[in-house]
């Protein structure tokens, strides 16, 4: 603790002044920097979109792996006729690109929610889970064999859960809110 009877600052005549040291006007102390005092942005957009691009890549690869597993190991022909091979046809590539696009759209949704909503990750999780439920139900409304419907619904479920969980983690990491002390 300092003794309030003594002046320890530059106003003290005994305070050493070194040659070459910048001299600031009386009462100003140190220079003010432009970034000092400005509030930190609420969302780290770079971190959010980097995580969104990573999630898109994972979702696309997950679709390719799942289709190769279902077609090659389980022998269920989904998205293309039986003779198309383990990878299938261009529809497998389209499905993978659609999964990546869904992840990027979810990232955009997450950014809007992080900037505007009071509890953004809760809303994001619910929206993604409901959209995943739609994607799981959708194959059963189409004309196809039952095993192909179940396999497609399973892929949609896994990809939807992957996008939801990964982007929830990314959204949590991209928030620039100060952590509260305590338990």
């Amino acid at each position: 603790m300092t003794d309030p009877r003594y002046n320890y600052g530059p106003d003290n005549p005994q305070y050493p002044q070194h040659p070459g040291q910048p001299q600031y006007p009386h009462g100003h102390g140190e220079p003010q920097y432009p970034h000092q005092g400005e509030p930190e942005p609420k969302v780290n957009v770079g971190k959010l979109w980097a995580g969104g691009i990573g999630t898109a890549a994972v979702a696309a690869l997950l679709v390719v792996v799942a289709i190769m597993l279902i077609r090659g190991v389980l022998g269920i022909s989904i998205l293309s006729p039986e003779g198309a091979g383990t990878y299938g046809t261009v529809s497998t590539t389209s499905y993978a690109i659609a999964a990546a696009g869904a992840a990027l759209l979810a990232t955009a949704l997450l950014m809007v929610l992080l900037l505007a909503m009071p509890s953004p990750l809760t809303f994001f999780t619910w929206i993604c889970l409901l959209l995943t439920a739609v994607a799981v139900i959708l194959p059963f409304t189409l004309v196809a064999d039952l095993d192909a419907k179940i396999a497609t619904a399973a892929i949609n479920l896994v990809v939807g859960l992957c996008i939801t969980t990964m982007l929830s983690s990314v959204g949590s990491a991209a928030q620039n809110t100060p952590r509260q002390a305590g338990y």
Side-chain angles (χ1 to χ4, degrees):
M1 304 266 324
T2 59
D3 190 343
R5 294 177 291 167
Y6 297 103
N7 183 2
Y8 291 99
D11 294 335
N12 185 350
Q14 296 176 348
Y15 187 77
Q17 298 293 323
H18 301 287
Q21 180 180 1
Q23 301 298 316
Y24 301 109
H26 180 70
H28 288 281
E30 299 205 6
Q32 295 295 317
Y33 297 101
H35 61 81
Q36 196 174 21
E38 291 180 9
E40 193 172 312
K42 187 176 178 183
V43 177
N44 185 334
V45 177
K47 188 182 285 189
L48 176 70
W49 280 100
I53 291 169
T55 302
V58 169
L61 290 171
L62 183 61
V63 165
V64 171
V65 168
I67 288 177
M68 291 180 76
L69 173 73
I70 290 170
R71 289 183 66 81
V73 176
L74 300 178
I76 301 171
S77 59
I78 60 170
L79 299 178
S80 53
E82 285 184 36
T86 303
Y87 182 78
T89 60
V90 72
S91 59
T92 301
T93 305
S94 300
Y95 197 179
I97 290 171
L104 293 176
L105 284 173
T107 304
L109 171 68
L110 179 58
M111 187 172 98
V112 169
L113 293 175
L114 285 172
L115 293 172
M117 297 298 285
S119 183
L121 294 177
T122 303
F123 284 100
F124 176 76
T125 302
W126 271 99
I127 291 169
C128 284
L129 289 177
L130 291 171
L131 288 173
T132 300
V134 169
V136 168
I137 295 169
L138 186 64
F140 295 104
T141 65
L142 304 173
V143 177
D145 293 335
L146 183 60
D147 55 353
K149 290 178 182 182
I150 292 171
T152 305
I155 292 173
N156 291 349
L157 176 65
V158 171
V159 170
L161 292 177
C162 171
I163 291 171
T164 303
T165 57
M166 289 184 77
L167 286 180
S168 292
S169 296
V170 167
S172 179
Q175 289 181 319
N176 289 332
T177 54
R179 306 242 188 264
Q180 293 182 354
Y183 296 99

